Amino acid sequence: MHVKQLCWFSTLGALLGTLLASPAAWAEFVQQSHASLLTRNFYLNRDYRQAGAPQSLSAEWAQGFILRAESGYTDGAVGLGVDALGLLGVKLDSSPERSGGTGLLQRDRETRRAEDEYGELGLTAKLKVSNSVLKVGTLTPLLPLVMFNDTRLLPQTFEGAWLNSTELDGLTLDLGQLRQVNQRDSSDNEDLSASRTTPGLKSDRFDFVGGNYKWTPALSTGLHYGILEDVYKQQVATLVHSWPIAPGHALRTDLRWSHESADGSASEVDNRALGAAFTYSYRTHRFGFYYQQMDGDTGFAYLTATNPYLVNLLQVSDFGSAKERSYQLRYDYDFAALGLPGLTFMTRYVQGKNVEVSGRAEEGREWERDTDIAYAIQSGPLKNLSLLWRNASARSDFGSDIDESRLILSYSLPLW
């Protein structure tokens, strides 16, 4: 049995003992609890446009159910609690000739056909002392070093332990270890791996530590360090600043720097990444310019299928290949000013160049254009019902040419 499992059962045993011994503890535990059910109907269509593509089309349709339940904490100096995450995915339409590459549904290991349904139940024991919370079990971290992926039918989850502390005013500290991952289209936990690293490398632990300090309401900086054992180690520094230029006008600056190197002789990782995002807001308009630069012998490495912490992460590409330079222009609009609250629009374009392509003398180039249109009902019996249409076109002279559309209908129902 792993250490993480022993810790989880120990914490759960202590929790149950406290609840049984003190009826008053039950009151706090229950009164502070809440739960919600998110239903997500997801259609994805991906058209491969390059000559000689092994598959011309990927298309699937599925229904997902995401149940989240979070307890309160028992009363006292040490508060105990437990969270639950229930996931279920149901196939609505799929076929072997067009199912590969969508990431929506779990596949049968032998036939590779999409299974009719799949799911899992994740439990998390939690312990709170003052303003520090330790969670052990199923985790969905959102940190510069690891950001769980929730861009398909069901979210990606991890197994491990995570301590978050806000004891000092303005300072947030994070410390933890991840041991296994359950991917978006899977119901099995597996060892960790990373993109853009030596193929086949696996690891059974990712250790991380970091902090973020808010100097003023407008300025914060962060520093994080992580090691995927025997694969890579990474340092990330961040700076975020918001400048209210004038009433209705604001400028947000988001700077990110990362340094990655190999951890172990079997791994090949050498990357330095710089990202700078500048967003100017005027009432319901937002204009963005983002720049991203890769240096070193390899591209940006990150835990497989997570969202890499890059300013030019888009629907199809992350523009993180070796030596790549990329530029993004983005525009967002909120139709509330026109009397249509809940309706939003986003479009962006990124061009990448200077890519170092193995076995080729000339540099690689790529570009991507994304458009999102979303509407969320604001009131009435259908409040919390939302519709999102996402469309992307991506072209590359060293990778795939893709046209992709996603149609997502979501409904969030508070249970208690």
Side-chain angles (χ1 to χ4, degrees):
M1 183 177 291
H2 286 304
V3 173
K4 66 180 181 65
Q5 293 173 309
L6 291 172
C7 292
W8 194 97
F9 284 118
S10 297
T11 306
L12 182 59
L15 168 64
L16 293 176
T18 302
L19 293 176
L20 292 173
S22 174
W26 276 103
E28 295 295 326
F29 181 85
V30 174
Q31 289 174 7
Q32 298 173 13
S33 68
H34 58 274
S36 64
L37 175 66
L38 174 66
T39 66
R40 181 182 289 166
N41 190 280
F42 204 123
Y43 174 74
L44 188 148
N45 182 298
R46 177 179 290 175
D47 188 4
Y48 297 91
R49 310 291 294 180
Q50 75 272 19
Q55 182 175 330
S56 62
L57 178 69
S58 294
E60 286 188 312
W61 183 27
Q63 176 67 49
F65 301 89
I66 303 171
L67 174 66
R68 297 181 185 273
E70 299 182 9
S71 79
Y73 291 94
T74 58
D75 196 17
V78 178
L80 300 174
V82 63
D83 296 340
L85 176 63
L87 305 175
L88 174 65
V90 179
K91 179 179 70 176
L92 298 179
D93 181 63
S94 177
S95 64
E97 64 273 10
R98 53 183 173 83
S99 64
T102 67
L104 279 189
L105 293 167
Q106 181 171 276
R107 312 261 168 251
D108 183 274
R109 297 187 180 209
E110 295 182 0
T111 66
R112 303 306 300 163
R113 289 177 175 269
E115 296 185 353
D116 292 337
E117 61 183 41
Y118 70 107
E120 68 162 323
L121 173 64
L123 298 175
T124 307
K126 54 188 182 181
L127 181 151
K128 182 176 183 181
V129 178
S130 184
N131 292 318
S132 298
V133 176
L134 172 65
K135 294 185 177 181
V136 180
T138 299
L139 305 173
T140 52
L142 277 175
L143 298 167
L145 295 167
V146 51
M147 302 180 68
F148 85 101
N149 196 318
D150 193 21
T151 61
R152 292 296 192 275
L153 189 69
L154 301 178
Q156 176 190 48
T157 63
F158 291 87
E159 293 295 317
W162 178 11
L163 174 65
N164 174 263
S165 177
T166 56
E167 297 293 340
L168 300 179
D169 188 34
L171 178 64
T172 299
L173 296 175
D174 292 285
L175 172 69
Q177 182 183 102
L178 305 179
R179 299 301 297 261
Q180 289 193 309
V181 61
N182 190 352
Q183 302 294 3
R184 302 166 300 179
D185 54 353
S186 172
S187 59
D188 299 323
N189 287 316
E190 58 188 60
D191 284 342
L192 304 168
S193 62
S195 67
R196 297 196 178 99
T197 59
T198 305
L201 281 183
K202 295 284 187 177
S203 177
D204 65 357
R205 59 187 296 169
F206 178 76
D207 299 315
F208 62 89
V209 62
N212 192 81
Y213 188 72
K214 199 166 187 178
W215 300 91
T216 70
L219 174 66
S220 64
T221 58
L223 185 63
H224 293 79
Y225 179 73
I227 300 178
L228 181 60
E229 189 176 54
D230 297 326
V231 183
Y232 74 87
K233 45 193 174 185
Q234 180 184 30
Q235 305 157 52
V236 177
T238 60
L239 182 150
V240 177
H241 180 257
S242 298
W243 177 26
I245 303 172
H249 300 258
L251 177 65
R252 185 177 189 270
T253 300
D254 184 349
L255 304 179
R256 308 174 186 180
W257 176 85
S258 167
H259 178 260
E260 298 178 326
S261 58
D263 184 65
S265 59
S267 178
E268 296 180 7
V269 177
D270 175 36
N271 178 265
R272 294 174 299 282
L274 172 66
F278 305 96
T279 305
Y280 169 69
S281 301
Y282 172 65
R283 296 181 180 175
T284 55
H285 303 269
R286 284 196 301 168
F287 305 88
F289 172 74
Y290 303 165
Y291 173 73
Q292 185 170 288
Q293 175 177 315
M294 299 291 136
D295 289 301
D297 295 332
T298 63
F300 189 84
Y302 54 94
L303 295 181
T304 299
T306 58
N307 287 326
Y309 194 61
L310 297 173
V311 298
N312 281 346
L313 170 65
L314 267 68
Q315 183 169 324
V316 175
S317 178
D318 59 25
F319 295 86
S321 297
K323 302 292 196 304
E324 187 163 13
R325 310 287 190 263
S326 57
Y327 310 83
Q328 176 182 165
L329 292 176
R330 172 171 174 158
Y331 173 69
D332 294 74
Y333 183 72
D334 187 338
F335 285 84
L338 299 180
L340 294 171
L343 181 63
T344 58
F345 169 82
M346 184 280 295
T347 187
R348 58 189 173 185
Y349 175 82
V350 178
Q351 183 177 79
K353 62 180 183 178
N354 201 50
V355 179
E356 184 177 82
V357 182
S358 178
R360 202 173 84 178
E362 65 272 17
E363 68 178 36
R365 293 176 174 267
E366 61 177 333
W367 61 263
E368 181 175 337
R369 186 269 310 148
D370 294 353
T371 301
D372 286 4
I373 299 177
Y375 180 67
I377 297 177
Q378 303 295 293
S379 61
L382 294 180
K383 183 181 179 181
N384 299 325
L385 179 68
S386 63
L387 179 66
L388 170 63
W389 175 69
R390 312 193 72 181
N391 179 263
S393 292
R395 298 292 184 269
S396 168
D397 65 6
F398 62 91
S400 299
D401 294 343
I402 293 173
D403 290 337
E404 181 182 278
S405 287
R406 305 177 188 179
L407 189 62
I408 308 165
L409 181 66
S410 302
Y411 180 68
S412 179
L413 176 65
L415 298 179
W416 69 77

